[in-house]
Amino acid sequence: MITITQERGSGITARAAGYTHAGAWILGFAAVRGAAPEVGDPHAAIASAYADRPVQSVAQALLVHGVAAVGLLVIGSALLDRSRRTGSAAARSAAWAGRVAGALALVQLVLELIAVSGADPASPDGTGALFDVVQSADGIEMLALAVLAAAACTASRHGTLLRRREVVIGWALAATITVSGIGYLLLSTALTPMAYVSLPLLLLWTAVLGAALGRRP
């Protein structure tokens, strides 16, 4: 009875984490209303954006690299619990990929807060350099999320984690976020626009994965 109760509690927490991750990203975008700096922007423009809208920039950072990161860590922990119960190596890989992605997001949060607090349009290079580091770290995080999606889909081949349509979403995410991740890692303006495809898939995927982890076996 205790084990069943613990599993149900873990499932409820994972479901809430998936929805929280998606909601945090949506609120984060709403906080800056499309005025956030992007890869390829001049350092002066990046520093000005942070200096002109420090409250909105901090709010976005706290949401997309703070609250959302906690959601990923919780999902990673739920996947790790599942891997221990089922003995699935793929689920274990997905779990650690989720934890790595969450940890990287927290590092990005710290760096972005430093960049915003020190933003000075008269001396923009330091802020611009930190921004570039945050974006490159975002690329690594995206690649970790690609591993999370692919491993979770693999774990579902002989298990009951994901349904068929959910697996399709997962593989689509793995493919698109790999491309955008490489773009952010290399600060390539030719590849980063793929994020317009991979990000909506990611938000849908985390909600779907959280819900899947919350279903009764």
Side-chain angles (χ1 to χ4, degrees), residues 68-79:
V70 174
L72 287 175
L73 292 172
V74 171
I75 288 174
S77 295
L79 281 166

Side-chain angles (χ1 to χ4, degrees), residues 59-205:
Q60 184 188 53
L62 290 173
L63 286 164
V64 305
H65 292 145
V67 176
V70 174
L72 287 175
L73 292 172
V74 171
I75 288 174
S77 295
L79 281 166
L80 192 60
D81 288 342
R82 184 181 183 87
S83 73
R84 288 168 178 164
R85 295 196 305 271
T86 63
S88 170
R92 188 178 303 108
S93 297
W96 283 107
R99 286 184 161 191
V100 168
L104 282 169
L106 292 176
V107 171
Q108 289 175 269
L109 171 61
V110 173
L111 293 176
E112 195 164 7
L113 292 178
I114 294 172
V116 173
S117 64
D120 181 4
S123 181
D125 287 341
T127 298
L130 277 174
F131 176 83
D132 289 343
V133 171
V134 170
Q135 303 314 304
S136 293
D138 209 12
I140 301 173
E141 180 189 346
M142 290 180 188
L143 295 176
L145 289 168
V147 174
L148 165 61
C153 290
T154 301
S156 301
R157 288 180 179 176
H158 305 292
T160 57
L161 176 58
L162 297 171
R163 295 165 179 162
R164 183 174 299 178
R165 62 180 179 274
E166 296 168 344
V167 170
V168 172
I169 297 171
W171 283 119
L173 170 63
T176 56
I177 205 168
T178 296
V179 176
S180 59
I182 293 171
Y184 274 82
L185 178 61
L186 302 178
L187 302 179
S188 168
T189 55
L191 297 178
T192 52
M194 182 58 75
Y196 289 106
V197 178
S198 63
L199 181 58
L201 284 173
L202 173 63
L203 303 188
L204 176 61
W205 167 252

Side-chain angles (χ1 to χ4, degrees), residues 9-38:
S10 176
I12 293 171
T13 302
R15 185 185 298 114
Y19 296 151
T20 298
H21 178 273
W25 268 97
I26 294 170
L27 291 174
F29 275 110
V32 295
R33 299 180 182 178
E38 298 181 357

